[in-house]
Amino acid sequence: MGFELGGQAGARLGKKLSYPGSPDTILRLVKRAELPPASAPRVVGLDDWSWKRRLRYGTLIGDLESRKPLDVLADRSVETVSAWFEKHPSVEIVSRDRSSEYAAAIKKGAPQAIEVADRWHLGKNLAESIETLVARCRAEIRHALQGETMSEQKRAETEPRLEEEKRPARVLCQKAR
Protein backbone atom coordinates (compact mmCIF):
# COMPACT_ATOMS: atom_id res chain seq x y z
CA MET A 1 0.00 0.00 0.00
CA GLY A 2 2.81 2.36 0.84
CA PHE A 3 4.60 1.84 -2.48
CA GLU A 4 1.45 2.41 -4.50
CA LEU A 5 -0.39 5.04 -2.49
CA GLY A 6 2.10 6.66 -0.14
CA GLY A 7 1.70 7.34 3.57
CA GLN A 8 -1.61 9.17 4.01
CA ALA A 9 -3.65 7.32 1.38
CA GLY A 10 -2.06 4.00 2.39
CA ALA A 11 -3.12 4.57 6.01
CA ARG A 12 -6.71 5.32 4.94
CA LEU A 13 -6.89 2.18 2.81
CA GLY A 14 -5.24 0.09 5.53
CA LYS A 15 -7.85 1.25 8.04
CA LYS A 16 -10.66 0.15 5.67
CA LEU A 17 -8.96 -3.23 5.13
CA SER A 18 -8.34 -3.71 8.86
CA TYR A 19 -4.57 -3.18 8.59
CA PRO A 20 -4.21 -0.19 10.87
CA GLY A 21 -1.08 1.91 10.72
CA SER A 22 -0.17 5.57 10.75
CA PRO A 23 1.15 7.33 7.65
CA ASP A 24 4.57 7.58 9.34
CA THR A 25 4.67 3.83 9.97
CA ILE A 26 3.81 3.07 6.36
CA LEU A 27 6.51 5.44 5.06
CA ARG A 28 9.04 3.97 7.53
CA LEU A 29 8.31 0.47 6.16
CA VAL A 30 8.66 1.71 2.58
CA LYS A 31 12.03 3.30 3.35
CA ARG A 32 13.26 0.15 5.08
CA ALA A 33 12.24 -2.19 2.24
CA GLU A 34 14.88 -3.34 -0.20
CA LEU A 35 14.15 -2.36 -3.76
CA PRO A 36 14.70 -4.81 -6.58
CA PRO A 37 17.90 -4.08 -8.49
CA ALA A 38 17.25 -1.66 -11.29
CA SER A 39 17.91 -3.00 -14.74
CA ALA A 40 20.45 -1.18 -16.84
CA PRO A 41 18.64 1.45 -18.89
CA ARG A 42 18.67 0.88 -22.63
CA VAL A 43 16.38 3.64 -23.97
CA VAL A 44 16.39 6.93 -22.09
CA GLY A 45 14.82 10.34 -22.53
CA LEU A 46 16.47 13.64 -21.62
CA ASP A 47 14.61 16.84 -20.89
CA ASP A 48 15.25 19.97 -18.94
CA TRP A 49 13.05 21.17 -16.13
CA SER A 50 13.02 24.18 -13.92
CA TRP A 51 14.13 24.27 -10.30
CA LYS A 52 13.17 27.96 -10.34
CA ARG A 53 11.55 29.26 -13.51
CA ARG A 54 13.79 31.41 -15.72
CA LEU A 55 16.62 31.21 -13.19
CA ARG A 56 17.83 27.64 -12.60
CA TYR A 57 17.30 24.54 -14.71
CA GLY A 58 18.14 20.88 -14.24
CA THR A 59 17.98 17.71 -16.33
CA LEU A 60 15.43 14.94 -15.94
CA ILE A 61 16.45 11.50 -17.22
CA GLY A 62 13.80 8.84 -17.65
CA ASP A 63 13.72 5.21 -18.74
CA LEU A 64 11.43 5.19 -21.76
CA GLU A 65 10.90 1.43 -21.67
CA SER A 66 9.75 1.18 -18.06
CA ARG A 67 8.33 4.75 -18.08
CA LYS A 68 10.02 5.57 -14.79
CA PRO A 69 12.32 8.43 -13.83
CA LEU A 70 15.97 7.46 -13.48
CA ASP A 71 17.70 10.57 -12.24
CA VAL A 72 17.42 14.30 -11.71
CA LEU A 73 20.62 16.19 -12.44
CA ALA A 74 21.44 19.52 -10.83
CA ASP A 75 22.03 21.37 -14.10
CA ARG A 76 22.05 21.07 -17.91
CA SER A 77 25.81 21.30 -18.40
CA VAL A 78 27.66 19.05 -20.81
CA GLU A 79 29.96 17.80 -18.04
CA THR A 80 27.13 16.73 -15.71
CA VAL A 81 25.07 14.97 -18.39
CA SER A 82 28.08 13.26 -20.02
CA ALA A 83 29.27 12.03 -16.59
CA TRP A 84 25.86 10.40 -16.07
CA PHE A 85 26.12 8.65 -19.45
CA GLU A 86 29.64 7.44 -18.68
CA LYS A 87 28.27 5.73 -15.56
CA HIS A 88 25.54 4.05 -17.65
CA PRO A 89 27.23 2.46 -20.69
CA SER A 90 24.17 0.29 -21.41
CA VAL A 91 22.31 3.22 -23.00
CA GLU A 92 21.67 2.51 -26.68
CA ILE A 93 19.06 5.13 -27.62
CA VAL A 94 18.60 8.67 -26.31
CA SER A 95 15.49 10.73 -27.00
CA ARG A 96 16.18 14.44 -26.58
CA ASP A 97 15.12 17.94 -27.56
CA ARG A 98 17.01 20.21 -29.97
CA SER A 99 19.52 21.37 -27.35
CA SER A 100 23.08 21.51 -28.65
CA GLU A 101 24.35 21.01 -25.08
CA TYR A 102 22.55 17.66 -24.81
CA ALA A 103 23.90 16.63 -28.22
CA ALA A 104 27.46 17.40 -27.13
CA ALA A 105 26.96 15.57 -23.81
CA ILE A 106 25.64 12.45 -25.56
CA LYS A 107 28.52 12.44 -28.06
CA LYS A 108 31.01 12.79 -25.19
CA GLY A 109 29.44 10.42 -22.63
CA ALA A 110 27.67 7.84 -24.80
CA PRO A 111 29.13 7.86 -28.31
CA GLN A 112 27.57 4.44 -28.98
CA ALA A 113 24.03 5.79 -28.43
CA ILE A 114 21.66 6.69 -31.23
CA GLU A 115 20.07 10.12 -30.80
CA VAL A 116 16.43 10.60 -31.72
CA ALA A 117 14.05 13.54 -31.38
CA ASP A 118 11.23 13.23 -28.89
CA ARG A 119 7.62 13.25 -30.06
CA TRP A 120 6.94 16.85 -29.16
CA HIS A 121 9.96 18.13 -31.10
CA LEU A 122 9.17 15.89 -34.07
CA GLY A 123 5.74 17.54 -34.25
CA LYS A 124 7.28 21.00 -33.83
CA ASN A 125 9.85 20.32 -36.58
CA LEU A 126 7.10 19.06 -38.88
CA ALA A 127 4.90 22.09 -38.21
CA GLU A 128 7.78 24.49 -38.91
CA SER A 129 8.64 22.69 -42.16
CA ILE A 130 5.04 22.76 -43.34
CA GLU A 131 4.72 26.43 -42.41
CA THR A 132 7.82 27.27 -44.47
CA LEU A 133 6.57 25.22 -47.41
CA VAL A 134 3.09 26.76 -47.33
CA ALA A 135 4.57 30.28 -47.14
CA ARG A 136 6.71 29.57 -50.19
CA CYS A 137 3.80 27.97 -52.07
CA ARG A 138 1.49 30.85 -51.13
CA ALA A 139 3.93 33.34 -52.68
CA GLU A 140 4.23 31.22 -55.83
CA ILE A 141 0.45 30.88 -56.14
CA ARG A 142 -0.02 34.62 -55.65
CA HIS A 143 2.62 35.32 -58.31
CA ALA A 144 1.01 32.85 -60.72
CA LEU A 145 -2.46 34.33 -60.19
CA GLN A 146 -1.17 37.84 -60.85
CA GLY A 147 0.45 36.66 -64.06
CA GLU A 148 -2.74 34.83 -65.07
CA THR A 149 -4.88 37.93 -64.46
CA MET A 150 -2.53 40.07 -66.52
CA SER A 151 -2.56 37.61 -69.43
CA GLU A 152 -6.39 37.41 -69.37
CA GLN A 153 -6.65 41.20 -69.54
CA LYS A 154 -4.19 41.37 -72.47
CA ARG A 155 -5.99 38.54 -74.24
CA ALA A 156 -9.35 40.28 -73.82
CA GLU A 157 -7.94 43.52 -75.28
CA THR A 158 -6.16 41.96 -78.24
CA GLU A 159 -8.46 39.14 -79.31
CA PRO A 160 -11.22 39.99 -81.76
CA ARG A 161 -14.70 39.20 -80.51
CA LEU A 162 -16.53 36.44 -82.24
CA GLU A 163 -19.80 37.28 -83.93
CA GLU A 164 -21.90 35.18 -81.60
CA GLU A 165 -20.37 36.95 -78.59
CA LYS A 166 -21.51 40.33 -79.92
CA ARG A 167 -24.86 41.53 -78.74
CA PRO A 168 -27.53 41.77 -81.37
CA ALA A 169 -28.82 45.25 -82.13
CA ARG A 170 -32.11 46.16 -80.55
CA VAL A 171 -35.03 46.27 -82.84
CA LEU A 172 -37.85 48.60 -82.06
CA CYS A 173 -41.16 47.26 -83.13
CA GLN A 174 -43.96 49.56 -84.00
CA LYS A 175 -47.43 48.41 -83.46
CA ALA A 176 -49.63 48.31 -86.48
CA ARG A 177 -52.59 50.61 -86.12
Side-chain angles (χ1 to χ4, degrees):
M1 290 184 299
F3 282 108
E4 292 297 320
L5 301 174
Q8 192 71 31
R12 281 194 307 266
L13 179 63
K15 188 176 181 180
K16 289 183 180 182
L17 297 174
S18 299
Y19 293 113
S22 71
D24 291 333
T25 302
I26 291 175
L27 290 178
R28 195 174 321 109
L29 291 172
V30 167
K31 289 177 185 177
R32 208 179 304 158
E34 284 192 36
L35 297 175
S39 62
R42 199 178 69 78
V43 181
V44 298
L46 281 180
D47 204 359
D48 52 342
W49 70 286
S50 175
W51 291 93
K52 185 162 174 103
R53 191 183 321 163
R54 295 187 197 107
L55 295 177
R56 192 167 151 236
Y57 291 89
T59 300
L60 178 65
I61 301 175
D63 187 340
L64 297 181
E65 291 179 316
S66 68
R67 296 183 175 175
K68 293 185 179 175
L70 293 173
D71 210 346
V72 177
L73 305 179
D75 58 22
R76 298 185 291 190
S77 71
V78 173
E79 293 79 26
T80 306
V81 177
S82 64
W84 188 91
F85 279 113
E86 288 169 359
K87 291 177 187 172
H88 299 86
S90 62
V91 174
E92 297 174 14
I93 301 171
V94 180
S95 172
R96 66 173 184 87
D97 59 13
R98 299 186 284 187
S99 168
S100 58
E101 289 182 358
Y102 286 154
I106 294 166
K107 289 204 186 329
K108 183 178 176 185
Q112 78 284 357
I114 299 170
E115 297 178 50
V116 296
D118 59 21
R119 273 188 278 185
W120 190 87
H121 286 91
L122 279 176
K124 184 166 175 59
N125 292 347
L126 177 63
E128 287 175 359
S129 298
I130 290 172
E131 188 177 314
T132 303
L133 178 67
V134 168
R136 187 174 351 122
C137 290
R138 190 179 318 135
E140 290 174 4
I141 291 169
R142 192 178 314 119
H143 185 264
L145 287 175
Q146 286 175 351
E148 193 175 291
T149 306
M150 294 292 282
S151 63
E152 285 178 12
Q153 288 175 354
K154 287 181 182 177
R155 203 175 319 124
E157 292 172 358
T158 58
E159 283 185 2
R161 286 180 118 180
L162 298 175
E163 288 299 321
E164 52 214 37
E165 289 180 348
K166 293 181 181 177
R167 291 185 184 172
R170 289 188 172 184
V171 179
L172 296 175
C173 294
Q174 293 182 356
K175 289 184 184 179
R177 290 193 184 167

